[in-house]
Amino acid sequence: MPAQNPVEQLNGRGRSQVPRWLRIVVIGRNPKVTLARAAVLAILCVVVFKFCLLHIRVEGISMLPAYQDGSAHFVNRLAYLWHEPRRGDVVGIRLAGPHVMYLKRIIGLPGETVAFVNGRVLINGEVLDEPYEKLPSDWRLPPVKLGPDEYFVVGDNRTMPPENHVFGKVERDRIVGKTIL
Amino acid sequence: MKTVFRFVLLAALVALGIWLWCVFFPGPEKIIRKRLTELARTASFSSGESDLARLAAAQNLAGFFATNVEVNIDVPGRVQHTFMGRDEIKEAVLGARSTLSGLKVQFPDINITVTPDKQSAVADLTVEVNIAGERDSIVQEMKFTFQQTDGEWLITRIETVRTLSRTGRRTNFPVLSC
C-alpha cells in the first residue's frame, strides 16, 4: 500500500479533530456563503460608520445633564438631508474635520436675534422655553443677529461663566449631523 | 488567462511606480503634513526632561518657524498670547516645558491648500492639546501659513480660527428682562 501524502494526512487529521457543530458555528454550512455574508457585512459597516453614523465620546461637562462626560453617542450625518437643523437639536459641529467635534444644542435659527438675560435665552425678544436646561445660570449677553446661513449653538450646562464656555454662531456647513442614542 | 495575468502584473507595476514616485518626490502637501506631524511630536513632552533636552527641544521647535513668524493664540477661557519671531517662541517653549509636567500635542484633522505657484500654503487644522494632570483636553481650530524658504517649508503665521463666533451685528432689539 503506498504511503499517504503528508498533506493529506494532516488534512485528514485536521478534519477529524474539529467537531462538525463547531465548524458550522464558525464558518457555517456553506463557507462560500459565509464569506460572502462577511464581506457584505464588512462593506455595510464601513459605509454606515464612515458616511452615516459617526461614533463620538463626550469630553467635558458643557452638555450636562443630558450628555454625561465620557458617554458614547452617534452623530447621524444624514439627519439634515431632507430638512434643515431645528431648534433644540443637539448637533456635532466640526472644527477642521470630523475627528474632533463640538457637541452643542441649537437655540437660534437663521435670521433670528439671540440674547441672554439673567440666564434665560431670548429669541427675537421672547423667552425661549428650555426644558433640557436644568442647571442654574445667570448669563447676560447682548443680542446677536444671525445671518441667513447661521445658527446659534450653546451647551446645556451654563453654570460656568460665559468666558469659559464654547458657544456662539456657527455656519450651516459646519454642522455635521444630529446626535442620536 | 495569460493576458489577464499580464494585465494584473502591469497594473501592479504601474501602482508600484506611482507609489515609489510619491515616496521619493513627495508633493508640497505631503511634505507639509510630515512637517506638522514632526512639529506635534517635537512640541509634546513628558515629565523628567533634563535642561539640556529642554533647550534642544526649544531649538528644534523654533526651526519649524520663519524668523519673522507671528503667532496669535486665543483660546477662550484658557490662553491668549501673541508671539513675534523665533526667539519669543523659543522662550515660550522653554517656559512651558519648565512649568508643565507634560504635554501632548496632536493634529487630528489637517486641510492643506497650496497656492498655484507652490511657494506658500495654508493649513487649516484642529489642534488637540492634553496637559498632564488635566482631565479635559484643549481643542482649537487654527490656521497655519507656510512659506517655502530655501527649499524648506517654514511657518510664517499662526492664527486662531473662531469656529463658533460670539460677536454679531449689535441690534437695538428690545430685550425683555426676566
Side-chain angles (χ1 to χ4, degrees):
Chain A
M1 198 175 159
Q4 212 178 353
N5 183 332
V7 177
E8 281 173 13
Q9 278 180 17
L10 246 175
N11 285 346
R13 210 177 297 145
R15 247 199 312 272
S16 63
Q17 277 180 353
V18 180
R20 189 177 145 72
W21 67 269
L22 188 61
R23 270 184 60 201
I24 291 172
V25 167
V26 176
I27 55 172
R29 281 195 174 82
N30 188 341
K32 278 183 184 169
V33 173
T34 306
L35 198 67
R37 275 186 190 149
V40 169
L41 198 65
I43 292 167
L44 205 67
C45 282
V46 169
V47 170
V48 167
F49 293 108
K50 187 152 178 77
F51 302 106
C52 305
L53 295 178
L54 284 180
H55 177 253
I56 55 160
R57 191 175 54 82
V58 177
E59 193 180 284
I61 56 164
S62 79
M63 283 302 285
L64 284 177
Y67 293 81
Q68 301 288 327
D69 183 20
S71 61
H73 306 272
F74 285 99
V75 169
N76 178 11
R77 299 182 91 164
L78 308 179
Y80 300 124
L81 275 185
W82 318 115
H83 65 85
E84 288 301 302
R86 293 169 181 156
R87 198 188 323 277
D89 286 356
V90 176
V91 294
I93 295 154
R94 69 166 177 82
L95 284 86
H99 288 102
V100 177
M101 289 188 285
Y102 288 135
L103 189 69
K104 300 287 166 191
R105 194 181 292 275
I106 294 175
I107 58 163
L109 301 175
E112 291 181 340
T113 301
V114 181
F116 287 84
V117 176
N118 298 334
R120 304 297 302 272
V121 176
L122 302 184
I123 303 292
N124 295 337
E126 288 184 18
V127 178
L128 176 68
D129 181 32
E130 294 185 284
Y132 42 80
E133 210 217 330
K134 301 211 163 45
L135 303 167
S137 162
D138 59 354
W139 285 14
R140 289 183 71 89
L141 292 163
V144 173
K145 172 87 177 161
L146 301 175
D149 197 33
E150 290 176 334
Y151 292 80
F152 199 96
V153 294
V154 66
D156 291 350
N157 180 6
R158 300 168 207 158
T159 53
M160 70 284 278
E163 302 80 55
N164 297 341
H165 191 104
V166 179
F167 69 98
K169 296 189 296 181
V170 64
E171 294 99 25
R172 169 67 182 87
D173 65 348
R174 281 191 180 270
I175 297 175
V176 175
K178 184 181 172 181
T179 53
I180 52 168
L181 301 176
Chain B
M1 195 67 190
K2 219 172 182 180
T3 319
V4 172
F5 177 73
R6 278 181 184 163
F7 182 75
V8 169
L9 191 70
L10 185 73
L13 281 173
V14 168
L16 183 72
I18 292 169
W19 181 74
L20 283 174
W21 179 267
C22 290
V23 167
F24 289 111
F25 307 101
E29 194 183 324
K30 204 165 181 184
I31 295 171
I32 291 168
R33 270 180 200 279
K34 208 173 159 190
R35 290 282 287 172
L36 286 167
T37 311
E38 282 169 23
L39 175 68
R41 201 184 308 130
T42 314
S44 305
F45 64 94
S46 49
S47 60
E49 208 179 26
S50 69
D51 287 349
L52 203 66
R54 208 175 289 157
L55 202 67
Q59 190 73 37
N60 259 350
L61 206 66
F64 285 90
F65 300 91
T67 46
N68 59 344
V69 63
E70 189 185 333
V71 180
N72 293 305
I73 299 173
D74 183 9
V75 183
R78 302 299 290 252
V79 205
Q80 196 167 13
H81 276 302
T82 300
F83 306 105
M84 302 291 281
R86 262 185 192 171
D87 292 337
E88 277 192 25
I89 288 179
K90 217 187 291 179
E91 275 174 34
V93 170
L94 279 172
R97 286 180 106 101
S98 51
T99 49
L100 301 175
S101 56
L103 192 79
K104 190 181 175 194
V105 181
Q106 286 174 294
F107 302 131
D109 287 301
I110 303 172
N111 301 309
I112 297 168
T113 314
V114 183
T115 54
D117 63 357
K118 295 188 176 177
Q119 290 303 302
S120 61
V122 173
D124 178 36
L125 47 88
T126 306
V127 184
E128 191 177 0
V129 178
N130 292 85
I131 300 171
E134 285 194 19
R135 203 170 171 275
D136 295 337
S137 54
I138 302 170
V139 171
Q140 184 63 52
E141 187 177 349
M142 304 202 92
K143 196 186 272 184
F144 286 38
T145 307
F146 285 82
Q147 193 91 40
Q148 199 176 25
T149 314
D150 300 329
E152 213 177 6
W153 286 94
L154 298 175
I155 300 165
T156 55
R157 191 178 165 84
I158 295 180
E159 50 197 311
T160 307
V161 176
R162 285 256 166 271
T163 311
L164 302 179
S165 150
R166 287 179 206 179
T167 52
R169 189 159 52 86
R170 293 282 175 90
T171 59
N172 294 322
F173 205 90
V175 174
L176 291 176
S177 80
C178 47

